[in-house]
């Protein structure tokens, strides 16, 4: 097999299996090539990935050696994406009665989800997260995309308790609108004592994410990170603490003047 | 730039932008290479993609020429995946009271979602679908993955009507459990007269998917396909007609004997 053909195969395999250790022996066998050629191929791919800010290739040498593609997101790409999002989100047409902002359309676009997933995966890749947790409904696409780049399962907290979920743990909490709400998670969906990353679309005071953290305690899980697509400037102190990552910040919505101000999120503060 | 480095860049660009026409002029500029070299690179990539069953590269020649990667899924890959799924799903531990089958864990695994998304994208790629539509909650990850491979937006029908969705169109329908239920879709999420692909996790009689079809009529949308992760053998006639695609079929669940039988879906009948 020619080098260029091998490179196509290796690049595809790495991109389709982020954050997974792929055996060099298996790869060499599958490509019917010597490990030395494979190493040279990987060196070329590594260089390009790093130049382009797509992420790192981590290789372990030796008989049991492997290679792992850790997706990343360059600061330039992230900044450009957030700037674009800020412009799109600040469209006054998005203002809904009550000062809410319509953004379901954005959270359904594959290119937005891919980029947001890359950014979260990049920000949380050193946390050792084993599961991505979200609450239905609007956070699910973001959680799925993040889980894809981290190559760990996504699980969904329900607002009701469905027969198709089996036995579940439920908790009550007070939502932002001061109503008592319920959330529940199927017992089967999360083993005990796991590291969990919380992802959601929007955070104001942080009541929902706080409730998710409380729910995690019932599973003896450790919350290793909190990521949201959009947080608000006010209140400054969130119920989950201020160690969260937001991609964008909703600074103000003026329903009367029809003005929205969206600025970059806490992602860029670290 | 060496050919091998160009090949890494082109392969990544194609894989990260499925079903989108990428300008050859832009690509040649970005790689600082002649279009003739680029054509040779694409020929190599095309050959590998076709050999491996990853999909086709469609090229249009000329000044305004472009290339489009159309993801596919080989029959062998699809069969192997469905066989694996059938084994995993037939685990009697999955049986829930009432004869339901627990499968939320499976629908949260990135490798399952990737493969299911590829299969749906492959099955429906000639329909001209412009949107993927699902209903909350369990179908969302599948819809997101399918929308990623088709590179079209995913939209979510809600079971309630949320203030963050703006004005919505609601319909009532009778569910499988014979209760009257409501579903609603935000007006902003779907322009009129679009081609829509329906994706869901599970279909028994097809009442929910039938209701989604009815809801689409309110948007003057055309339903160009129906895909589900699992359908049931009984009833044989579904309310959405029998022109749907399922990846797996739940043949029987015997709660007393603790036996589940899952077989390949209608995907393989065409």
């Amino acid at each position: 097999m020619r080098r260029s053909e091998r490179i196509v195969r290796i690049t595809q395999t790495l991109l389709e299996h982020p954050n997974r250790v792929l055996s060099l022996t298996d790869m060499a066998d599958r490509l019917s090539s010597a490990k030395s050629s494979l190493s040279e191929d990987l060196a070329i791919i590594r260089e390009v990935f790093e130049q382009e800010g797509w992420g790192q290739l981590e290789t372990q040498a030796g008989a049991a050696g492997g290679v792992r593609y850790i997706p990343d997101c360059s600061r330039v790409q992230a900044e450009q994406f957030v700037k674009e999002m800020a412009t799109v989100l600040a469209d006054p047409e998005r203002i809904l009665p009550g000062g809410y902002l319509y953004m379901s359309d954005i959270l359904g676009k594959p290119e937005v989800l891919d980029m947001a997933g890359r950014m979260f995966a990049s920000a949380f890749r050193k946390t050792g997260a084993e599961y991505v947790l979200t609450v239905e409904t609007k956070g699910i696409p973001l959680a799925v995309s993040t889980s894809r780049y981290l190559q760990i399962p996504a699980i969904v907290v329900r607002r009701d308790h469905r027969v198709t979920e089996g036995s579940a743990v439920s908790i009550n909490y007070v939502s932002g609108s001061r109503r008592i709400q319920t959330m529940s998670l199927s017992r089967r969906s999360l083993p005990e004592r796991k590291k969990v990353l919380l992802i959601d679309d929007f955070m104001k005071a942080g009541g929902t994410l706080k409730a998710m953290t409380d729910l995690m305690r019932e599973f003896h899980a450790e919350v290793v990170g909190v990521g949201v697509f959009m947080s608000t400037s006010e209140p400054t102190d969130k119920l989950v603490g201020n160690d969260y990552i937001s991609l964008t910040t909703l600074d103000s919505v003026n329903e009367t003047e029809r003005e929205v101000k969206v600025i970059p999120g806490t992602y860029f503060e670290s």
Side-chain angles (χ1 to χ4, degrees), chain A:
Chain A
M1 199 186 294
R2 281 181 298 171
R3 156 144 298 153
S4 44
E5 291 175 34
R6 284 204 311 267
I7 295 238
V8 176
R9 287 184 167 82
I10 303 169
T11 303
Q12 193 268 3
T13 306
L14 292 167
L15 290 172
E16 293 284 318
H17 304 95
N19 277 305
R20 207 187 288 172
V21 178
L22 305 167
S23 150
L24 291 178
T25 309
D26 287 359
M27 214 182 256
D29 282 356
R30 214 160 49 81
L31 298 167
S32 328
S33 71
K35 272 202 191 177
S36 55
S37 319
L38 182 58
S39 293
E40 287 166 30
D41 299 342
L42 286 170
I44 296 167
I45 297 172
R46 174 182 297 113
E47 209 187 301
V48 175
F49 275 34
E50 287 181 1
Q51 273 173 23
E52 299 283 337
W54 296 332
Q56 282 84 50
L57 293 195
E58 216 180 61
T59 39
Q60 290 124 21
V67 57
R68 193 159 72 112
Y69 160 50
I70 307 166
D72 202 355
C73 174
S74 73
R75 200 170 168 102
V76 175
Q77 285 178 310
E79 279 171 352
Q80 197 195 328
F81 170 72
V82 167
K83 214 171 132 185
E84 258 177 59
M85 286 297 105
T87 309
V88 173
L89 289 163
D91 180 352
E93 289 295 312
R94 295 191 169 274
I95 302 175
L96 296 172
Y100 293 95
L101 208 61
Y102 179 73
M103 55 181 204
S104 297
D105 57 336
I106 290 174
L107 297 178
K109 289 195 169 141
E111 63 274 21
V112 171
L113 294 172
D114 270 357
M115 194 61 196
R118 287 184 85 88
M119 286 176 73
F120 285 134
S122 169
F124 296 113
R125 70 208 161 98
K126 286 178 183 154
T127 57
E130 295 162 288
Y131 287 84
V132 176
L133 186 83
T134 192
V135 62
E136 59 182 344
T137 299
K138 294 223 293 286
I140 301 175
L142 288 166
V144 166
S145 181
T146 307
S147 104
R148 180 176 186 276
Y149 283 106
L150 288 173
Q151 210 69 20
I152 54 177
I155 47 183
V156 179
V157 172
R158 306 290 299 245
R159 297 199 183 268
D160 52 8
H161 178 199
R162 290 273 170 160
V163 64
T164 52
E165 298 288 337
S167 73
V169 178
S170 296
I171 61 164
N172 292 316
Y173 70 103
V174 180
S175 75
S177 50
R178 289 173 200 284
R179 275 187 307 157
I180 292 181
Q181 301 214 12
T182 302
M183 55 168 70
S184 76
L185 182 63
S186 162
R187 281 208 174 279
R188 291 165 187 252
S189 66
L190 180 64
E192 297 218 320
R193 297 177 207 288
K194 291 294 175 186
K195 292 187 174 176
V196 172
L197 169 63
L198 310 188
I199 295 288
D200 209 358
D201 59 320
F202 186 78
M203 171 166 68
K204 195 172 179 180
T208 303
L209 283 153
K210 168 69 164 51
M212 285 161 78
T213 305
D214 292 340
L215 182 58
M216 284 302 93
R217 211 166 288 132
E218 300 292 322
F219 287 82
H220 304 287
E222 183 191 349
V223 173
V224 295
V226 174
V228 294
F229 185 78
M230 179 181 265
S231 58
T232 54
S233 294
E234 298 291 337
T236 48
D237 287 320
K238 307 298 189 191
L239 293 167
V240 282
N242 289 332
D243 193 22
Y244 63 88
I245 283 177
S246 63
L247 307 190
T248 60
T249 297
L250 181 60
D251 198 49
S252 60
V253 180
N254 188 322
E255 232 189 308
T256 326
E257 305 281 334
R258 310 284 296 165
E259 272 175 14
V260 182
K261 195 176 164 199
V262 178
I263 57 176
T266 67
Y267 184 90
F268 299 97
E269 285 168 19
S270 55

